[in-house]
Amino acid sequence: MVRFTLRNMARSSSMRVDLDPRDDVSEISDIVLECWGSEGFLMTNGYRIIGEGNRIGMEISEGDVVDIIPDPRGIPTGFINRL
């Protein structure tokens, strides 16, 4: 098992997660959708974006903090220009 912290930056909340290192990273997406109802996000581990097509053990190590952030590609361009 890989134990890590899943931190939702948009909601300022986090949870501890235990997953099998052979599980697909998409399992994390399912957890985020089920617990926070969030869609359209990126997962990062430090400065690296976690790819959905990999295994958890390839992307995350024991004790890591995985951040869930809103996907900037989903923000309308006009909104960004107004900032």
Side-chain angles (χ1 to χ4, degrees):
M1 298 303 273
V2 177
R3 292 178 181 91
F4 60 95
T5 300
L6 190 58
R7 184 169 58 184
N8 187 325
M9 301 302 286
R11 296 182 183 235
S12 299
S13 60
S14 63
M15 69 174 80
R16 295 286 292 163
V17 180
D18 296 342
L19 291 174
D20 190 302
R22 296 170 295 196
D23 285 344
D24 193 65
V25 170
S26 64
E27 293 289 325
I28 300 172
S29 297
D30 294 341
I31 292 169
V32 171
L33 185 59
E34 182 179 324
C35 294
W36 289 310
S38 299
E39 292 187 67
F41 58 85
L42 295 174
M43 292 180 278
T44 62
N45 188 356
Y47 293 105
R48 188 172 42 84
I49 295 175
I50 296 175
E52 288 263 342
N54 291 327
R55 302 277 179 222
I56 288 173
M58 296 172 61
E59 297 283 347
I60 302 168
S61 299
E62 184 78 20
D64 282 355
V65 175
V66 174
D67 289 325
I68 304 300
I69 58 172
D71 188 346
R73 296 171 293 191
I75 299 173
T77 306
F79 179 76
I80 293 172
N81 291 336
R82 286 182 275 164
L83 296 177

